[in-house]
């Protein structure tokens, strides 16, 4: 297979082939991958390199890394795109799923049309639906999500490749991330029995092998919040997959806005987490212990405010 080198507008190199890759099938796969969009009369616009017959595929010494950027009316979308295009790794694909943010967003996507592998602007069924849609188009050996309010640090993918090569048996990598002036790092899978703040983030720092994700399945859209908790629970407890954290000084990127769950009350967040645990058949007595323990801590926290 012949490969072409193309430069981004930021002078970084990307590899391409003009040969359309076949969709690899797996023995255990819980979702179907595809290269192109299905027909949709309500779609506002779409494009990208795949529609110009430029494709990306895995190489022996350069595994393909897929970055999915979901977007809905973010003023920082272009900053996010630029932070990806500046990555000095040659085999990187970018997929942008926009939830019909309007003409201004479409113009930004068209500006980078020859540097984005696939992009679409259309109404979806919420955050997790957008994430899942992007995952289905991802052709990489590893898949990650960078939401459109956040950015990669310059060495993010270099750090990722370092761990991909060092730990080939790992199913996923948990990269260090920055939020404000705080650094979040590490991975403590044994603690998931009582808590979910055991990893930095499911955006920016979390990359998973495609074959592992095929076995694990997509984000469960029945959860309004915390569908990422459900995926991590299944990853650790049900599938017993292996995750590796990066060092605390190897920062993948920075959060933008606060997460979706911040718009919900304490009890809404708590009941969402407990439902995920219950749906995944966690011991009911542990679930009750978590409920009463969290309520006690919240009451104590409110008392101490006065």
């Amino acid at each position: 297979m012949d490969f072409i080198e193309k430069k981004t507008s930021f002078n970084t190199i990307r590899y391409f082939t003009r040969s359309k890759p076949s969709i690899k099938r797996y023995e255990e796969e819980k979702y179907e991958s595809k290269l192109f969009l299905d027909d949709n009369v309500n779609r506002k616009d779409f494009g990208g390199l795949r529609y110009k017959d430029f494709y990306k595929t895995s190489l022996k010494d350069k595994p393909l890394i897929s970055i999915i950027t979901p977007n809905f009316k973010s003023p920082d979308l272009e900053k996010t795109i630029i932070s990806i295009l500046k990555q000095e790794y040659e085999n990187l694909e970018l997929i942008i799923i926009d939830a019909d943010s309007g003409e201004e967003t479409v113009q930004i996507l068209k500006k980078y049309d020859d540097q984005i592998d696939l992009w679409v602007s259309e109404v979806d069924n919420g955050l997790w639906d957008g994430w899942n849609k992007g995952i289905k188009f991802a052709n990489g050996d590893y898949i990650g999500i960078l939401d459109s309010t956040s950015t990669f640090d310059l060495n993010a993918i270099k750090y990722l490749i370092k761990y991909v090569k060092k730990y080939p048996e790992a199913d996923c990598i948990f990269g260090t991330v920055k939020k404000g002036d705080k650094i979040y790092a590490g991975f403590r899978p044994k603690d998931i029995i009582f808590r979910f703040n055991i990893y930095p983030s499911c955006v920016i720092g979390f990359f998973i092998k495609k074959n592992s994700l095929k076995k694990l399945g997509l984000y469960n859209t029945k959860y309004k919040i915390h569908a990422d908790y459900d995926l991590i629970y299944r990853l650790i407890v049900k599938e017993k997959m292996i995750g590796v954290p990066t060092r605390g000084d190897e920062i993948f990127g920075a959060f933008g806005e606060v997460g979706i769950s911040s718009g919900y009350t304490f009890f809404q967040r708590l009941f969402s987490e407990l439902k995920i645990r219950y749906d995944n058949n966690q011991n009911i007595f542990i679930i009750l212990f978590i409920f009463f323990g969290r309520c006690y801590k919240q009451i104590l926290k409110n008392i101490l405010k006065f």
Side-chain angles (χ1 to χ4, degrees), residues 30-34 37 68-70 95 97 120 122 124-138 143-145 213-214 216-223 227-228 230-231 234:
K30 294 181 179 175
Y31 69 90
E32 184 178 349
S33 296
K34 49 190 176 181
L37 297 157
I68 298 155
T69 295
I95 296 160
I97 308 297
V120 61
E122 64 184 5
D124 59 31
N125 293 316
L127 175 68
W128 312 115
D129 180 54
W131 287 30
N132 288 341
K133 190 186 300 181
I135 288 169
K136 290 176 182 178
F137 294 120
I143 299 171
I145 293 174
L213 190 55
K214 283 281 186 174
L216 186 61
L218 298 169
Y219 290 89
N220 194 328
T221 57
K222 78 176 184 179
Y223 301 117
D228 50 343
D230 170 69
L231 184 130
R234 288 185 278 126

Side-chain angles (χ1 to χ4, degrees), residues 183-213:
I183 302 296
Y184 296 85
F187 178 52
R188 305 178 305 280
K190 291 181 180 179
D191 291 349
I192 199 168
I193 189 171
F194 293 120
R195 64 183 67 195
F196 275 106
N197 59 337
I198 59 170
Y199 59 96
S201 169
C202 256
V203 295
I204 306 176
F206 177 66
F207 285 83
I208 184 168
K209 282 179 179 175
K210 185 176 182 179
N211 60 356
S212 301
L213 190 55

Side-chain angles (χ1 to χ4, degrees), residues 23 27 41 52 67 95 102 123 136 148 159 177 180 184 187 194 269 281:
I23 297 294
E27 286 186 14
V41 294
K52 299 176 175 66
I67 307 297
I95 296 160
V123 175
K136 290 176 182 178
S148 58
Y159 292 144
V177 297
Y184 296 85
F187 178 52
F194 293 120
R269 295 194 302 271
N281 301 314

Side-chain angles (χ1 to χ4, degrees), residues 264-281:
Y264 291 80
T265 66
F266 165 79
F267 281 109
Q268 286 174 321
R269 295 194 302 271
L270 177 58
F271 284 128
S272 173
E273 177 184 333
L274 297 181
K275 179 170 175 53
I276 286 166
R277 293 180 180 279
Y278 180 80
D279 289 347
N280 282 291
N281 301 314

Side-chain angles (χ1 to χ4, degrees), residues 228-281:
D228 50 343
Y229 284 3
D230 170 69
L231 184 130
I232 294 296
Y233 191 94
R234 288 185 278 126
L235 184 151
I236 295 171
V237 179
K238 290 195 165 183
E239 301 296 342
K240 298 183 177 9
M241 292 182 176
I242 300 170
V244 174
T246 65
R247 288 184 355 186
D249 60 347
E250 294 172 327
I251 299 171
F252 276 43
F255 280 101
E257 296 178 355
V258 292
I260 184 174
S261 62
S262 62
Y264 291 80
T265 66
F266 165 79
F267 281 109
Q268 286 174 321
R269 295 194 302 271
L270 177 58
F271 284 128
S272 173
E273 177 184 333
L274 297 181
K275 179 170 175 53
I276 286 166
R277 293 180 180 279
Y278 180 80
D279 289 347
N280 282 291
N281 301 314

Side-chain angles (χ1 to χ4, degrees), residues 3-269:
F3 290 92
I4 304 164
E5 286 189 7
K6 288 169 64 73
K7 285 188 176 182
T8 71
S9 52
F10 300 94
N11 216 34
T12 51
I13 300 294
R14 297 290 184 264
Y15 292 155
F16 297 90
T17 177
R18 301 307 297 266
S19 301
K20 182 180 176 182
S22 58
I23 297 294
K24 183 179 178 180
R25 300 303 300 266
Y26 298 82
E27 286 186 14
E28 298 181 68
E29 62 172 30
K30 294 181 179 175
Y31 69 90
E32 184 178 349
S33 296
K34 49 190 176 181
L35 282 175
F36 298 102
L37 297 157
D38 297 329
D39 292 335
N40 183 345
V41 294
N42 296 317
R43 182 171 292 134
K44 296 301 170 67
D45 216 330
F46 67 96
L49 288 158
R50 289 186 190 175
Y51 287 95
K52 299 176 175 66
D53 289 326
F54 285 97
Y55 305 98
K56 291 174 182 170
T57 189
S58 180
L59 302 174
K60 183 178 179 181
D61 297 320
K62 297 281 184 183
L64 179 59
I65 307 299
S66 296
I67 307 297
I68 298 155
T69 295
N71 175 67
F72 182 62
K73 297 184 178 180
S74 169
D76 298 320
L77 172 62
E78 190 165 10
K79 290 181 182 178
T80 303
I81 294 172
I82 290 170
S83 79
I84 297 168
L85 296 180
K86 283 184 174 182
Q87 296 299 308
E88 294 182 352
Y89 181 70
E90 298 88 346
N91 209 12
L92 188 68
E93 76 174 0
L94 171 56
I95 296 160
I96 300 182
I97 308 297
D98 175 60
D100 190 17
S101 299
E103 186 58 31
E104 187 175 340
T105 294
V106 169
Q107 290 308 310
I108 292 172
L109 296 172
K110 287 183 175 179
K111 177 180 176 181
Y112 296 98
D113 185 69
D114 63 343
Q115 298 172 81
I116 302 170
D117 293 272
L118 183 146
W119 63 267
V120 61
S121 181
E122 64 184 5
V123 175
D124 59 31
N125 293 316
L127 175 68
W128 312 115
D129 180 54
W131 287 30
N132 288 341
K133 190 186 300 181
I135 288 169
K136 290 176 182 178
F137 294 120
N139 202 36
D141 299 284
Y142 286 78
I143 299 171
I145 293 174
L146 181 69
D147 74 280
S148 58
T149 67
S150 304
T151 55
F152 277 143
D153 277 16
L154 199 58
N155 292 317
I157 304 302
K158 282 187 177 180
Y159 292 144
L160 172 65
I161 295 301
K162 169 186 170 182
Y163 283 85
V164 164
K165 292 183 176 180
K166 187 175 181 180
Y167 300 98
E169 76 286 355
D171 295 284
C172 55
I173 308 296
F174 289 89
T176 300
V177 297
K178 186 176 182 181
K179 186 175 182 180
D181 58 356
K182 292 184 178 180
I183 302 296
Y184 296 85
F187 178 52
R188 305 178 305 280
K190 291 181 180 179
D191 291 349
I192 199 168
I193 189 171
F194 293 120
R195 64 183 67 195
F196 275 106
N197 59 337
I198 59 170
Y199 59 96
S201 169
C202 256
V203 295
I204 306 176
F206 177 66
F207 285 83
I208 184 168
K209 282 179 179 175
K210 185 176 182 179
N211 60 356
S212 301
L213 190 55
K214 283 281 186 174
K215 182 179 179 181
L216 186 61
L218 298 169
Y219 290 89
N220 194 328
T221 57
K222 78 176 184 179
Y223 301 117
K224 289 185 178 180
I225 56 175
H226 295 156
D228 50 343
Y229 284 3
D230 170 69
L231 184 130
I232 294 296
Y233 191 94
R234 288 185 278 126
L235 184 151
I236 295 171
V237 179
K238 290 195 165 183
E239 301 296 342
K240 298 183 177 9
M241 292 182 176
I242 300 170
V244 174
T246 65
R247 288 184 355 186
D249 60 347
E250 294 172 327
I251 299 171
F252 276 43
F255 280 101
E257 296 178 355
V258 292
I260 184 174
S261 62
S262 62
Y264 291 80
T265 66
F266 165 79
F267 281 109
Q268 286 174 321
R269 295 194 302 271

